[in-house]
Amino acid sequence: MALPAVDGRHYVYRVDAPAEALPADLFWDAWHCHDESALPRAWDVFDAAVIRRVD
């Protein structure tokens, strides 16, 4: 999952979740992980995230 941040960069996170997990759950998991780091704040807009399934 890629999250855009206020510094203009996209930060990528791998979110481990069951296949039936909702995209919004994946988004919030990655966003909270980013928000707890020292990185610039990520946009908390679901539509801004890029979610790709990796098998």
Side-chain angles (χ1 to χ4, degrees):
M1 165 165 310
L3 299 175
V6 297
D7 64 353
R9 295 181 178 184
H10 281 78
Y11 293 88
V12 178
Y13 293 88
R14 182 182 184 115
V15 178
D16 292 320
E20 63 273 5
L22 299 175
D25 294 331
L26 304 176
F27 168 78
W28 284 114
D29 194 32
W31 189 82
H32 284 295
C33 180
H34 181 92
D35 197 44
E36 293 172 0
S37 73
L39 300 171
R41 187 166 178 83
W43 298 111
D44 59 350
V45 180
F46 176 76
D47 291 343
V50 177
I51 302 171
R52 292 205 171 95
R53 183 182 172 106
V54 178
D55 293 321

